[in-house]
Amino acid sequence: MDYTTYYEEYDTITEERYGELKSMLEAQDKKKKFQAFHLRKLEFIGTNDQKAVPNFFLCVKNQDENEIYLEKKFIQGDIHFKKCAKLTKEECDRILRGDIDWMKDHKKGLFSDFYRQVSLNHLSPGRVTDYEREMLKGKKESYVTFSKKIERAVGRTRDLFEVPEFTLSCLDEGKVLVTYKKEAILPAVLVTIMQIQKDKEGELAFAF
């Protein structure tokens, strides 16, 4: 299995502080601009609404059918592990219908891993969360992301593109969530033990 590994820190700041930080970061390198986008994530949960470990999500960027991803995340110590793989709209719909047999021996390791986790831990689609984000890539694979809006749908859903009828804000009024991610370079021996290596799919982990 191929993962992107990184450290992550986050804080909730005021809108005024957000404006100051954004201006400061843009001034450091005028060639780089913040990328603004909408992200929707549907989390898979276990029985009795228990949080799954590792976490699996279906993600769509800008409600674009060509930007759908399956994402796996977990934390060991202070290091975050993340793996993403692209999905077609048809594949996404099949997963949400519970049709996952085709993933069992798939050439993409993340798909076959997802099949095992769903089968063993009885995972099913849970809640949808919407994010309005701005992201800037810094030096040495570091990223700063501002989440200006985070809203979670009430109840479960089986449609990644349906507009939730009821949502709850996850941010206090006038607040912005700032997240800082920096790539974690693991020792070669640990990479070998954990069978971790980077590939083109792994690079998608910092796409959103």
Side-chain angles (χ1 to χ4, degrees):
M1 184 64 66
D2 311 318
Y3 294 96
T4 294
T5 53
Y6 59 95
Y7 299 103
E8 180 177 285
E9 297 180 3
Y10 60 89
D11 193 15
T12 303
I13 59 177
T14 64
E15 289 182 341
E16 181 181 5
R17 181 56 177 159
Y18 147 71
E20 294 171 349
L21 285 176
K22 182 178 178 181
S23 297
M24 180 184 70
L25 291 167
E26 288 179 327
Q28 289 177 356
D29 188 344
K30 294 184 179 180
K31 294 182 180 180
K32 293 183 178 181
K33 299 295 182 182
F34 274 89
Q35 175 195 7
F37 60 93
H38 170 269
L39 178 67
R40 174 169 289 174
K41 301 183 70 169
L42 188 156
E43 181 179 7
F44 284 82
I45 56 178
T47 54
N48 299 320
D49 291 343
Q50 292 183 346
K51 195 172 184 65
V53 179
N55 304 119
F56 282 93
F57 304 87
L58 285 175
C59 309
V60 59
K61 189 175 180 180
N62 294 325
Q63 292 299 93
D64 184 346
E65 293 185 3
N66 296 313
E67 294 285 345
I68 303 174
Y69 305 87
L70 177 65
E71 175 187 276
K72 176 183 179 181
K73 292 176 68 176
F74 64 94
I75 303 174
Q76 286 189 357
D78 295 328
I79 299 178
H80 293 249
F81 292 75
K82 184 175 177 180
K83 170 69 176 176
C84 297
K86 261 196 165 184
L87 290 165
T88 65
K89 178 64 162 56
E90 180 184 2
E91 290 171 338
C92 176
D93 290 341
R94 292 179 70 180
I95 291 172
L96 291 172
R97 292 197 306 266
D99 175 12
I100 61 171
D101 286 346
W102 59 277
M103 306 178 82
K104 184 176 182 179
D105 298 310
H106 202 282
K107 63 181 181 180
K108 290 184 179 180
L110 182 58
F111 286 6
S112 57
D113 184 29
F114 177 73
Y115 172 85
R116 289 192 298 271
Q117 295 292 336
V118 171
S119 302
L120 292 173
N121 299 314
H122 308 289
L123 304 183
S124 60
R127 293 176 298 184
V128 160
T129 305
D130 286 296
Y131 303 83
E132 294 294 339
R133 289 181 167 174
E134 294 179 337
M135 184 174 68
L136 180 71
K137 181 179 179 180
K139 297 179 180 179
K140 297 181 179 179
E141 294 302 318
S142 64
Y143 295 80
V144 177
T145 303
F146 294 112
S147 296
K148 299 187 294 181
K149 186 177 181 180
I150 306 176
E151 291 186 340
R152 183 165 294 152
V154 177
R156 296 193 182 200
T157 183
R158 289 187 177 272
D159 189 331
L160 193 60
F161 291 86
E162 183 179 57
V163 178
E165 185 175 2
F166 300 104
T167 60
L168 297 173
S169 176
C170 299
L171 286 174
D172 292 333
E173 187 175 352
K175 297 294 185 179
V176 175
L177 179 68
V178 56
T179 306
Y180 176 74
K181 296 179 182 179
K182 183 177 181 180
E183 184 179 23
I185 305 299
L186 301 181
V189 64
L190 184 57
V191 172
T192 301
I193 292 173
M194 300 186 69
Q195 296 183 333
I196 298 172
Q197 67 180 60
K198 287 199 170 185
D199 62 1
K200 291 182 180 180
E201 286 182 14
E203 294 172 2
L204 294 171
F206 282 132
F208 49 84

